[in-house]
Amino acid sequence: MSSASTATAGVVETDPWLVVENVTVEFPGVRALDGVNFSARAGEVHALMGENGAGKSTLLKVLSGVNRVTDGALWVGGERHVFSNAREALRLGIAIIYQELTLSPNLSVAENLLLGQLPQHYGIVDRKRLRERALAILEELGEGSVHPATKVRDLSIGQQQMIEIGRALLRDARIIAFDEPTSSLSVQETRQLKRIVKRLRDEGRVVLYVTHRMEEVFEMCDAVTVFRDGRHICTHDTMAGLTQDQLVSEMVGRDIEDVYGYRARDTGEVILKVDALEGHGLKAPVSFEVRRGEVFGFFGLVGAGRSELMRLICGVERPKGGEIHFNGRTGRFNSPGDAIRAGIAMCPEDRKSQGIFPVASVTDNLNISCRRFFKRMGLWRHPKRELENTRDYIDKLRIRTPGPRTRISTLSGGNQQKVILARWLSEQIELFVMDEPTRGIDVGARRDIYNLLYDLADQGKAVVVISSDLTEVSAICDRIGVMRNGALVDIVDRSAATPERLLGLALPA
Ligand SMILES: Nc1ncnc2c1ncn2[C@@H]1O[C@H](COP(=O)(O)OP(=O)(O)OP(=O)(O)O)[C@@H](O)[C@H]1O
Ligand SMILES: [Mg+2]
């Protein structure tokens, strides 16, 4: 980490090291950034916040030379540069850790670390030295146990992210930007990431940090800039005196009194009864019931078995024992399709890799599985009803897209998530299982999603929510099952479900 020598550790410089001047980025039908001015100092962690589609990722892609600007300039260390290409960005010491990781899964850790960074002006590449350097970096990142020859596809998401950070360090990046880094990390991986971010800051680098998680902003960041609709709304140079409510209203442009907006309701008959279920990922038989009208939460640390349990129930995996009674029928489902026909569906956690057709339109992605309800005389597709359904959800979930026919891959990360969520919500389903429904989704839209879940429950359907967000489960669910190490350890009523209680149950004894 040689660039540390150029700055005094822990001292925030008053002159900004990075200045983005009047930047505009246009895509067909969208102005993703509109005359944005922004600056960040060395030795600070600067949060970038804003709703889905506000332009955060676009700004990072501008810095890294991936996105072309229509207008604007870039200053690094007091010198003016034109935005040009990825190589120029590297030369300026800018590295981005993207929302979607960019490693090559089939190459080794060492190859990924060193890819593209073999010094080009040397006649001969000193592989031995580079390899040693890679090892040293792995050690520094707390990944000393990862063998450099391991294929990247065999690493966890968190480890992959560490390799990305390692690449940035090998390049001596002075400006390191993270795009929602913790959205798919475990609790332990998140802790490790936070330590590294802090160190990067103390070494005098500029750290830009995009996140939708408020607690991270208040815990880790020294300054925050808010974007809305491609515009710079405000920058707070210090977090002192700033409240969460103020940030939220700056982000969404309106006051949201209570993001969770819980509504009490009466529950009906038992719709799902799981009796001594056993199978992959469970270390003890699991029993519980869910009633119509209920929002039932599952909390636990990553790896506690929540998703595995739901996969057993929803026909993705075969149970090894126990019984499932659902809506008057007894028996297991042989496939997810079988379960959907019976009226129970699971919206997977990894919605993007498991569910997106990147070259297809928003409306095709949204209606693909509920098409059968929209058939004309049971035969032909019904484009008009599909469009109506799409417009309905664009409206309800505030999906930011130029139109229903826009290719989904051009939407921002969070807006793609909303489309896939809408696909599941348009199914004619009696019990929805939602795995991390608000991951990557901004605060304003979270509220819309919670409202939709309450609406489903009001209609007498049932909702099971798997969430790692403690505040979320305790705020939106009627009852919460807590899982730990492959077992259901307790079911807690809403009135008793304080975050402390839930966490106490979920943590290893
Ligand atoms: N390659 C592209 N082609 C067309 N439009 C794009 C492209 N990339 C981004 N956009 C549009 O630019 C706008 C800003 O997107 P961006 O990805 O920067 O949002 P974001 O703030 O990162 O949101 P999120 O929180 O959902 O990740 C969105 O309306 C998006 O649809
Ligand atoms: Mg983004």
Side-chain angles (χ1 to χ4, degrees):
M1 300 192 180
S2 64
S3 72
S5 57
T6 56
T8 322
V11 173
V12 174
E13 313 207 345
T14 39
D15 288 340
W17 180 259
L18 170 74
V19 178
V20 167
E21 188 183 278
N22 197 28
V23 163
T24 296
V25 173
E26 283 177 341
F27 295 112
V30 192
R31 183 170 281 195
L33 290 177
D34 190 0
V36 163
N37 292 295
F38 165 77
S39 62
R41 293 167 300 190
E44 77 177 3
V45 181
H46 197 122
L48 308 183
M49 298 201 81
E51 290 181 286
N52 297 131
K56 306 175 297 291
S57 298
T58 303
L59 180 66
L60 300 193
K61 286 181 189 157
V62 162
L63 292 176
S64 66
V66 173
N67 276 344
R68 287 308 173 97
V69 302
T70 322
D71 200 7
L74 171 71
W75 297 73
V76 176
E79 273 178 49
R80 193 172 193 275
H81 299 273
V82 280
F83 294 102
S84 51
N85 55 38
R87 183 174 298 174
E88 179 68 4
L90 273 184
R91 203 182 63 73
L92 293 177
I94 302 174
I96 317 283
I97 318 293
Y98 286 110
Q99 226 164 345
E100 296 86 26
L101 299 181
T102 55
L103 300 175
S104 312
N106 293 321
L107 295 183
S108 73
V109 167
E111 284 164 332
N112 268 284
L113 275 170
L114 304 177
L115 208 64
Q117 5 202 353
L118 309 177
Q120 302 198 342
H121 51 282
Y122 291 0
I124 308 157
V125 174
D126 187 350
R127 286 191 168 272
K128 185 160 166 280
R129 219 195 91 231
L130 285 172
R131 209 182 149 88
E132 280 165 10
R133 189 122 192 260
L135 273 170
I137 291 275
L138 282 173
E139 197 73 47
E140 277 185 58
L141 291 172
E143 296 291 347
S145 61
V146 172
H147 195 279
T150 312
K151 292 266 187 286
V152 157
R153 59 159 190 262
D154 296 327
L155 300 181
S156 75
I157 300 286
Q159 289 173 322
Q160 293 189 27
Q161 206 166 51
M162 290 301 158
I163 305 300
E164 294 256 7
I165 299 171
R167 276 166 83 155
L169 295 178
L170 277 164
R171 288 169 174 149
D172 279 337
R174 185 74 197 270
I175 300 166
I176 301 186
F178 293 87
D179 201 348
E180 296 188 48
T182 55
S183 63
S184 34
L185 297 190
S186 70
V187 178
Q188 293 85 337
E189 289 170 336
T190 300
R191 273 198 208 125
Q192 190 182 344
L193 181 87
K194 286 179 180 170
R195 273 201 300 276
I196 287 167
V197 165
K198 188 165 176 301
R199 218 180 71 204
L200 296 174
R201 174 192 60 191
D202 293 345
E203 286 168 355
R205 300 173 204 262
V206 178
V207 182
L208 303 181
Y209 196 90
V210 176
T211 184
H212 288 293
R213 297 187 176 172
M214 282 290 171
E215 69 278 7
E216 290 183 352
V217 176
F218 284 93
E219 182 192 333
M220 317 164 51
C221 300
D222 308 297
V224 51
T225 291
V226 177
F227 296 91
R228 192 184 334 130
D229 293 336
R231 294 202 188 85
H232 173 271
I233 299 298
C234 58
T235 294
H236 301 279
D237 282 326
T238 163
M239 302 303 293
L242 192 60
T243 65
Q244 194 159 319
D245 285 350
Q246 186 183 345
L247 262 184
V248 171
S249 56
E250 285 165 355
M251 278 167 65
V252 303
R254 64 199 145 97
D255 283 333
I256 294 185
E257 265 166 29
D258 170 12
V259 175
Y260 302 103
Y262 175 77
R263 304 201 298 254
R265 71 197 85 74
D266 294 331
T267 52
E269 72 203 29
V270 171
I271 183 168
L272 173 72
K273 182 169 161 47
V274 172
D275 205 4
L277 194 69
E278 290 176 282
H280 175 75
L282 298 183
K283 299 216 173 103
V286 169
S287 306
F288 67 98
E289 294 178 356
V290 180
R291 292 180 170 275
R292 286 185 177 277
E294 197 170 30
V295 178
F296 190 102
F298 271 100
F299 177 71
L301 305 182
V302 171
R306 298 164 302 167
S307 304
E308 287 78 3
L309 171 62
M310 291 307 147
R311 280 203 281 275
L312 291 168
I313 295 173
C314 297
V316 185
E317 298 254 4
R318 290 295 185 86
K320 295 200 183 85
E323 286 201 331
I324 299 168
H325 309 272
F326 177 72
N327 206 14
R329 71 169 254 188
T330 294
R332 306 160 184 175
F333 303 112
N334 293 320
S335 68
D338 197 17
I340 290 173
R341 276 184 293 279
I344 174 170
M346 177 168 179
C347 176
E349 169 181 30
D350 194 0
R351 288 183 281 277
K352 267 183 108 169
S353 69
Q354 292 185 25
I356 250 171
F357 301 94
V359 298
S361 68
V362 168
T363 188
D364 282 342
N365 269 283
L366 201 153
N367 291 291
I368 196 144
S369 54
C370 61
R371 231 161 226 171
R372 60 187 175 279
F373 313 127
F374 291 160
K375 290 240 167 100
R376 271 179 295 188
M377 303 194 314
L379 286 173
W380 298 286
R381 275 179 60 187
H382 205 315
K384 193 154 156 268
R385 283 195 61 188
E386 289 187 12
L387 270 181
E388 277 167 15
N389 187 45
T390 309
R391 293 217 167 87
D392 191 31
Y393 277 106
I394 288 178
D395 202 39
K396 275 192 198 147
L397 293 178
R398 293 177 227 260
I399 299 174
R400 199 184 143 111
T401 169
R405 292 198 181 83
T406 303
R407 195 188 261 209
I408 194 168
S409 56
T410 70
L411 266 53
S412 79
N415 283 298
Q416 297 187 14
Q417 294 270 23
K418 291 187 206 171
V419 173
I420 303 305
L421 200 63
R423 178 197 296 166
W424 290 91
L425 291 167
S426 2
E427 285 276 352
Q428 293 187 357
I429 287 294
E430 294 302 307
L431 186 141
F432 290 88
V433 178
M434 307 250 151
D435 204 347
E436 306 284 358
T438 58
R439 164 170 300 164
I441 289 191
D442 70 62
V443 269
R446 269 169 176 240
R447 175 62 194 263
D448 300 327
I449 289 172
Y450 300 143
N451 272 338
L452 276 177
L453 299 187
Y454 304 144
D455 287 348
L456 292 168
D458 284 344
Q459 291 159 24
K461 300 178 180 206
V463 183
V464 170
V465 176
I466 299 175
S467 173
S468 303
D469 181 335
L470 202 49
T471 330
E472 175 178 88
V473 269
S474 53
I476 70 166
C477 300
D478 301 300
R479 285 189 303 148
I480 297 133
V482 181
M483 292 194 72
R484 181 177 71 219
N485 195 19
L488 178 58
V489 286
D490 203 355
I491 295 176
V492 186
D493 224 60
R494 176 182 175 75
S495 53
T498 58
E500 297 74 37
R501 169 106 193 263
L502 297 180
L503 197 59
L505 288 166
L507 287 171

